[in-house]
């Protein structure tokens, strides 16, 4: 909260390689953590995959429930209740197990980092900082990997389910991937450049404050504001352009789904939920790309 | 990133009262910022309200498009295209305008804080920290207020729209508010206590690292882990219990909507989108309550 916003400094984290005797000291920290906790991590991911399969089945089951109820059968409704109860049990259990696994890994890692570094007479404040930093690596497994799995289910899973309802919808939806890729390439290149310039400006902040010269202070904060405005404009333009393509896909999907005479209300419902799931999945991709590139940068600085 | 996790220390931010001549020096910082930027802030909120009204109309318009297409009319589809294009224009413009307003306010506030404090010979690192802290207050207007508006539209707006389709659905959905309130009261009391104990433990961290005694270090990190596990269990239990009530509401809504012989596919679609919008809105309330209580705490520490 009280940290100054500035470009992150390169920091070296001496990860305790002793904790993972099977791996060489040159192994990346992520590999080392995975190697030492393979079984537990795989179990959390298995549970998370089951949870996502259940999430993916929800529109299908709801659609079935609607169709069955309209024909005075409650089979679909019972299936929906079963799906919902299983999902809530699995996801609650997964969350409880997850936290035990990840806090355990962090606790081990932090203890070993501290003991190891204090043994080598590294300064107190550095060791404290490094023990917090080791949390970043645990977060890769705890947050970033599950986010990737979830996005894959939203995009690929939704496409598979749409193919089940109507094969023609798949190429329509795939047509969205081309503008998404092109727009994101332009966007990420542009924001990288703008962020670089914003960070360059932010690095002057303490100097400018130190000098205490009013016009320079004003000029500094105005420059910071102008980079932020440029970044925001870039984001708004990217979002607006993508939404035009999204609109195109939704119109085509509506025309296609509602023109077929055999379509039932439940199917229309399910198809639209999958289209929206796919669109939300595609929306999340840029954030995911940024997080991974940030972590790659962090790993490089530490190896 | 490198900050130690510890209980936030009370910090006094001398907000430049000179910038808002109309207000007395005892006025809260939020009131001062609002007073000095009334017109601009109100315009961003007006735009945000329009954006939310358009978002609220989407399920209705999509439902209409579906019903019309099934009757070989494309009136609803055109309305949907109009709704989507207006929404994307308004929201892009709002984002571009927003950033200009908030970066402008922050730039003014930070400049004045720095000039004022440097004039009074406050230390460099303090002034730097305070100029960053003034961002928290801008964020209240930039993020917290809009989140509150959005939640209100999701909960109240969805209920109003559901009443439009079928009045009986409103009491069914309102039935969800009672368990939501009760569960959140229990949950927030319990997490407040657990967080307090976690923070107490975290405050020992630097001392424990300093002493460098291996069993104490291990004991410290294990204690931190155990508080985190308790917090996570509490969250999982709260979520799981709430989901049981959510299931009840969804089953009742399905039974009600699909039993009526006059229901059209578009209406079923719209009703379910509103039910899901309401459920998501209710899900977001605890986070909102926590953010506001955090900010109230911050304001108290500074007044």
């Amino acid at each position: 909260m009280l940290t100054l916003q500035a470009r992150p400094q390169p920091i070296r984290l001496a990860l305790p390689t002793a904790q993972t005797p099977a791996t060489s000291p040159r192994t990346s920290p992520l590999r080392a953590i995975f190697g030492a906790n393979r079984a537990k991590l795989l179990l959390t991911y298995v549970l998370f995959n089951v949870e996502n399969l259940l999430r993916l089945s929800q529109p299908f089951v709801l659609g079935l429930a609607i169709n069955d109820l309209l024909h005075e059968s409650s089979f679909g409704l019972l299936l929906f209740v079963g799906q919902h109860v299983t999902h809530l049990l699995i996801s609650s259990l997964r969350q409880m197990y997850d936290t035990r696994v990840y806090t355990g890994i962090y606790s081990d890692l932090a203890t070993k980092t501290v003991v190891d570094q204090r043994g080598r007479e590294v300064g107190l404040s550095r060791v404290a900082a490094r023990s917090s930093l080791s949390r970043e690596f645990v977060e890769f497994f705890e947050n970033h990997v599950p986010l990737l799995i979830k996005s894959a289910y939203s995009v690929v899973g939704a496409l598979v389910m749409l193919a089940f309802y109507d094969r023609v919808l798949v190429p329509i939806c795939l047509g969205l991937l081309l503008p998404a890729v092109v727009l994101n390439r332009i966007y990420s290149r542009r924001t990288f450049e703008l962020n670089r310039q914003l960070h360059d400006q932010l690095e002057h902040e303490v100097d400018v404050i130190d000098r205490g010269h009013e016009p320079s202070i004003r000029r500094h904060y105005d420059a910071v504001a102008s980079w932020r405005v440029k970044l925001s404009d870039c984001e708004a333009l990217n979002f607006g352009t993508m939404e035009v393509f999204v609109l195109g896909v939704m119109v085509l999907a509506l025309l296609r789904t509602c023109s077929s005479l055999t379509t039932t209300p439940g199917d229309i419902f399910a198809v639209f939920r999958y289209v929206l799931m796919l669109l939300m999945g595609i929306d999340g991709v840029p954030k995911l790309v940024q997080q991974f590139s940030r972590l790659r940068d962090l790993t490089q600085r530490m190896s």
Side-chain angles (χ1 to χ4, degrees), chain A:
Chain A
M1 220 182 312
L2 281 176
T3 50
L4 279 168
Q5 290 166 302
R7 183 182 293 204
Q9 297 296 308
I11 301 137
R12 305 204 152 261
L13 172 76
L15 265 162
T17 45
Q19 111 210 48
T20 50
T23 55
S24 87
R26 308 290 303 148
T27 315
S28 88
L30 293 179
R31 221 180 273 267
I33 295 173
F34 185 76
N37 303 279
R38 203 184 300 263
K40 287 183 210 161
L41 286 174
L42 287 179
L43 181 56
T44 70
Y45 294 144
V46 167
L47 284 171
F48 192 65
N49 272 282
V50 174
E51 195 181 322
N52 271 282
L53 280 172
L54 285 162
R55 181 175 69 90
L56 190 63
S57 73
Q58 201 218 34
F60 168 77
V61 180
L62 263 174
L64 200 70
I66 292 170
N67 286 342
D68 280 4
L69 284 174
L70 291 173
H71 291 92
E72 292 179 4
S73 146
S74 54
F75 172 72
L77 189 67
L78 286 176
L79 212 63
F80 168 64
V81 172
Q83 179 270 342
H84 197 93
V85 170
T86 321
H87 181 263
L88 89 83
L89 284 179
I90 295 273
S91 66
S92 300
L93 281 177
R94 201 261 313 163
Q95 191 189 332
M96 292 167 86
Y97 181 64
D98 243 19
T99 311
R100 283 168 173 75
V101 170
Y102 294 114
T103 54
I105 295 177
Y106 172 66
S107 176
D108 268 7
L109 197 58
T111 305
K112 275 160 188 160
T113 306
V114 170
V115 171
D116 181 70
Q117 309 252 308
R118 288 305 274 170
R120 287 197 257 140
E121 307 276 311
V122 179
L124 169 64
S125 128
R126 267 182 173 216
V127 176
R130 283 176 186 173
S131 84
S132 292
L133 195 59
S134 55
R135 202 159 182 93
E136 289 259 333
F137 286 96
V138 180
E139 274 178 7
F140 173 80
F141 293 105
E142 187 169 8
N143 301 325
H144 298 190
V145 173
L147 207 64
L148 188 71
I149 296 176
K150 194 174 173 182
S151 295
Y153 273 97
S154 295
V155 177
V156 183
L159 278 174
V160 170
M161 292 306 289
L162 283 171
F164 168 81
Y165 285 99
D166 181 2
R167 269 155 213 274
V168 176
L169 290 169
V170 177
I172 293 177
C173 288
L174 277 176
L176 210 58
L177 291 181
L178 186 69
V181 168
V182 172
L183 281 171
N184 271 309
R185 278 188 81 102
I186 301 172
Y187 174 66
S188 71
R189 218 171 296 161
R190 184 107 182 87
T191 51
F192 179 82
E193 185 53 31
L194 289 171
N195 265 316
R196 204 181 55 74
Q197 288 174 295
L198 172 65
H199 287 150
D200 281 349
Q201 188 63 48
L202 284 173
E203 280 191 344
H204 297 307
E205 188 150 299
V206 176
D207 282 347
V208 170
I209 293 175
D210 196 20
R211 264 183 272 124
H213 177 238
E214 183 162 355
S216 312
I217 294 172
R218 175 154 295 283
R219 225 178 304 124
H220 163 72
Y221 282 111
D222 285 349
V224 168
S226 89
W227 293 119
R228 288 199 202 278
V229 165
K230 286 200 180 92
L231 272 166
S232 162
D233 285 359
C234 189
E235 195 189 325
L237 197 70
N238 180 51
F239 167 80
T241 318
M242 193 62 206
E243 279 299 294
V244 174
F245 291 99
V246 164
L247 176 62
V249 167
M250 287 182 83
V251 169
L252 287 176
L254 273 171
L255 283 171
R256 168 78 194 170
T257 312
C258 299
S259 68
S260 152
L261 288 171
T262 54
T263 318
T264 58
D267 289 3
I268 295 177
F269 175 82
V271 163
F272 261 85
R273 290 266 294 165
Y274 284 119
V275 170
L276 293 171
M277 191 187 275
L278 179 78
L279 297 178
M280 267 197 284
I282 291 176
D283 267 358
V285 172
K287 214 168 256 174
L288 212 64
V289 171
Q290 273 177 10
Q291 275 186 350
F292 272 86
S293 75
R294 200 180 135 270
L295 204 82
R296 205 173 51 209
D297 178 64
L298 206 65
T299 314
Q300 274 171 3
R301 283 169 198 267
M302 285 181 192
S303 59

